[in-house]
Amino acid sequence: MTEPVVPMTETVPAFTGARLLDETVAALSDRAPAILAAAADQLHGIRLGLHFNDDSHATLTARHSRIVVRQDRCPDPDVEVVFDNRAMNLLFDLQRPPVDQVLPDSLDVRGSREDTLAVWRAFTLLSQRAAGLRSMQELWGTYREQAPRLWGSAAPAAHEPAAEPVDWTALDFLARRSPEDAPAPPPLIGGTTIAAPRLLWDGRTSTSWSLEDTVRDADLMETMRRCRARTNEEIERLLPDREPRAELYDLMRSYPARQGKGLRPTLTIAACAAFGGRPEDAVRAAAALELFHNGFLVHDDIADESTHRRGLPTMHEEHGLGLAVNVGDGLNLLAVDAVLSNLETLGLVRTLGLIHEAVHMCRESIEGQAMELGWIRHDVVPEADDAYFTMSTKKTGWYTCISPCRIGAVCAGVTDPAVLGRFDEAFRLIGIAFQIQDDILNLVGEEALYGKEPLGDLLEGKRTVMLIHLFRTVYTHERPRLFDVLRQRRTDKTQQHAEELLAAMQRHGSIEYATDLADRLAAEGIARFEEDLRAIPENEGKAVLRQIAHYVTSRPL
């Protein structure tokens, strides 16, 4: 009797194992980058080749704190892993002890003892720490549901041995504990894990997820979304509801409404919580920071002659210079008022501390802007990267990374300069790395993701690390032409001029140089984070700060 034909969508799923791995790593790089960084540390220098039950293949390598996945066959792997259906099935069962996961003739692993153990540690770490994320549950659930026959839910054919029942206990339990239609939790700092992940198998006994009192997502994107939303509510409350609306107050809502990542509010609120403060105590200060930031952006866009900001026309392009300057002034004035209004909730001492931090942040930003505009005005390209480091730290590093942490700590009652200074070096390095990556994204990133005009930094003459490297390494005969292009006014430059500079950077390896430099600085910053902030006890706030520190190293470039 002819056996029934199994539909192709069941036997060879479109959602392959290689794609599952790729999308898992991509999701973790956004939502829990510290998990990827820990796994990458185990995989350092190992080329891993993976072969899945659906005949798909993947190559996995670690670069600094990133994990890079290519959906292709690895030509010369250090470790090679082959999964059949039974081995793939066990990936979803988090209750099995490791010895039961390696089935005879099912999971084939080849490589040196040291490398194989490192790969095992990396994937054990990923499964233990990422399993609680709602996004991971949804992703892996989609993979299994598209081909249920592979996972034991269908009866085997007459000539096949009976399949061991599979109930996906761990994954199903987590889904039941945090269903999609459950009421949204109250605004919190996060839900990032606050303790070391609990081992399900300690070598002697196996425990169940059902013994957990609570199940929380360790999701950085969700944390930043909540902090951003709460801060936006506070900004809306602070903005006056009176005339002149059309020419001032409605325009002041424009830039804050263009959703950014929520990095500064999250750092501020998390730093407050890290020192034992209530997250709500930092919300108004976070709103003040965002108002300062957006006021700076309006004025910066005028100075840089930028045409787009976060995918929309800049304020001066849409409404003219006069109104734009006034809106920027209004945002800065409202930010000052927001800082002062903490008197009623935080008291005199903490409010004075906030004023001191805000004034210092603004001074650093103005000095950094003056440095960059001076280079452009006098047709100067610095010879050393250190000049860029100083300018970048002053212009953006303080108000993007360092000051939010210090201000959040002040909201918790910390006023000791030595304690506040523990943030400075770690987040100086992280801030420089973050800015270099933004500069790289302006050259090679997708406009829809970056939100600015393509090659806008080259049109504006920004002295980025790539430009500094280019003029430091360019051939003598190329220099006059590149200087002629660079020194032209923004209004006289064309897209072709910008592409000419970009082509020169690509020829001389300037983008690769900047990428490696950003990775190195970020790694140094993370090391300083762990060293300098060791005195802060492990808690939810510190865990969020750590995730953000690792986020810099995991962003795709």
Side-chain angles (χ1 to χ4, degrees), residues 224 261-268 289-290 292-294 296-297 300 309-310 361-362 364-365 392-407 423 427-428 430-436 438 545 548 551-552 555:
M224 291 201 289
K261 303 177 187 71
L263 187 65
R264 281 169 302 277
T266 306
L267 284 171
T268 306
L289 271 173
E290 287 301 279
F292 274 125
H293 169 63
N294 284 282
F296 290 155
L297 289 184
D300 284 356
R309 169 69 60 185
R310 293 175 185 159
M361 175 193 70
C362 291
E364 293 285 350
S365 298
S392 174
T393 299
K394 284 181 169 291
K395 181 181 176 182
T396 60
W398 273 93
Y399 84 73
T400 298
C401 293
I402 304 172
S403 290
C405 294
R406 292 173 63 107
I407 285 173
F423 290 106
F427 282 94
R428 181 188 76 87
I430 290 167
I432 295 170
F434 197 86
Q435 186 59 53
I436 292 174
D438 264 8
L545 294 176
I548 291 176
Y551 173 67
V552 177
R555 291 198 300 170

Side-chain angles (χ1 to χ4, degrees), residues 156 160-164:
E160 294 177 352
E164 183 179 350

Side-chain angles (χ1 to χ4, degrees), residues 479-507:
R479 190 180 299 272
R481 169 59 185 170
L482 293 178
F483 257 119
D484 286 342
V485 172
L486 183 64
R487 65 167 57 101
Q488 291 187 51
R489 290 177 56 84
R490 169 68 178 85
T491 52
D492 297 329
K493 283 198 183 92
T494 66
Q495 200 69 20
Q496 288 71 28
H497 288 132
E499 291 171 358
E500 184 177 349
L501 288 171
L502 176 61
M505 289 178 177
Q506 292 170 333
R507 286 198 307 273

Side-chain angles (χ1 to χ4, degrees), residues 46 61-62 68 114 132 141 163 199 211 221 276 328 335 410 446 459 485 488:
I46 297 174
T61 55
V68 180
E114 293 80 5
L199 291 174
L211 299 181
M221 291 296 104
V410 171
E446 296 180 33
L459 293 169
V485 172
Q488 291 187 51

